[in-house]
Amino acid sequence: MEYDYYPATADSPDAVKVLVLMHGRGANRHDLAGLRGPLPSDWHLVLPDAPHPGAPWGYGPGRAWYRFLGDDVPDPESLQASMAELDGLVDALPARVGGPIEHLVVGGFSQGGTVGHSYALTRPDRVSGVLNFSGFLPSNVPVSAEAVAGKRFFWGHGMDDPAIPFALAVRGRAALKAAGADLEARDYGIGHWIDEGELRDASAWLGQFAIHD
């Protein structure tokens, strides 16, 4: 799996912290590079390319994490293939960042946020949290108290999102809360993008990991 790596530029007094952010459908790993500046400088940032070409599914010239089946359902086969690729990336990260990782947060924008949820819920011992910008919670990925225990979730969503409707945010957040998740939900008067206020909120959320240890 190809990825771009941005090392932390400030020392973390408590732990090595790594954020894996995944792009949306039809984009690539360079799409979220502009987020490096606003996010906390004591986090290592990893931006991977999705393993699937988007063109065969009608998603344009970029990459895709899964084939979308509609509503809140990703195709299981293509999603599982992406998560297997992520396993390899996560396995290699300690060597890349120079030591054991205390906090690993996964997520991203749109499809990337959806994959972040899927990965955290199916590999609960590998992940500290999920940072979701406008993704959904797949209805074909089980949510349980055991899977969300000890994790933190940030879910920002545009209330006027035409691509992933706000109703899916309401539904997915309710499922996480019902399982007992530590969830910070933030709503914005925007469409399907990330705005400055959402970035500030996400950055503040990341900065609180030491407090919640």
Side-chain angles (χ1 to χ4, degrees), residues 87-171:
D87 281 334
L89 174 62
V90 170
D91 287 341
L93 284 177
R96 187 63 194 264
V97 302
I101 298 169
E102 181 70 19
H103 294 303
L104 175 67
V105 171
V106 297
F109 175 68
S110 194
Q111 274 203 356
T114 297
V115 175
H117 280 141
S118 303
Y119 194 80
L121 294 171
T122 57
R123 288 132 168 100
D125 58 331
R126 310 203 80 180
V127 176
S128 303
V130 177
L131 178 55
N132 171 36
F133 298 117
S134 302
F136 59 78
L137 181 71
S139 57
N140 54 356
V141 174
V143 182
S144 67
E146 293 77 15
V148 303
K151 294 174 191 58
R152 301 176 59 229
F153 294 79
F154 178 94
W155 190 326
H157 215 103
M159 293 182 287
D160 301 316
D161 191 332
I164 298 182
F166 185 66
L168 293 187
V170 174
R171 184 191 307 172

Side-chain angles (χ1 to χ4, degrees), residues 15-213:
V16 174
K17 298 177 286 193
V18 179
L19 173 62
V20 177
L21 281 185
M22 294 169 275
H23 60 78
R25 183 176 81 181
N28 59 41
R29 67 183 187 276
H30 307 303
D31 189 54
L32 299 180
L35 302 188
R36 168 69 277 185
L39 295 175
S41 57
D42 60 343
W43 284 75
H44 299 268
L45 178 62
V46 176
L47 304 177
D49 261 341
H52 305 290
W57 298 328
Y59 302 158
R63 313 293 298 175
W65 296 98
Y66 55 81
R67 182 168 61 91
F68 179 54
L69 301 182
D71 195 46
D72 58 2
V73 184
D75 165 60
E77 183 177 355
S78 53
L79 177 62
Q80 290 298 328
S82 288
M83 292 199 293
E85 292 283 329
L86 282 173
D87 281 334
L89 174 62
V90 170
D91 287 341
L93 284 177
R96 187 63 194 264
V97 302
I101 298 169
E102 181 70 19
H103 294 303
L104 175 67
V105 171
V106 297
F109 175 68
S110 194
Q111 274 203 356
T114 297
V115 175
H117 280 141
S118 303
Y119 194 80
L121 294 171
T122 57
R123 288 132 168 100
D125 58 331
R126 310 203 80 180
V127 176
S128 303
V130 177
L131 178 55
N132 171 36
F133 298 117
S134 302
F136 59 78
L137 181 71
S139 57
N140 54 356
V141 174
V143 182
S144 67
E146 293 77 15
V148 303
K151 294 174 191 58
R152 301 176 59 229
F153 294 79
F154 178 94
W155 190 326
H157 215 103
M159 293 182 287
D160 301 316
D161 191 332
I164 298 182
F166 185 66
L168 293 187
V170 174
R171 184 191 307 172
R173 290 166 173 175
L176 289 173
K177 288 179 180 177
D182 178 352
L183 171 65
E184 181 168 334
R186 296 278 186 160
D187 305 331
Y188 306 92
I190 59 174
H192 195 61
W193 63 81
I194 304 170
D195 78 352
E196 292 181 0
E198 187 172 9
L199 278 177
R200 286 194 296 270
D201 292 339
S203 182
W205 178 82
L206 287 168
Q208 295 169 0
F209 264 81
I211 299 172
H212 285 78
D213 288 350

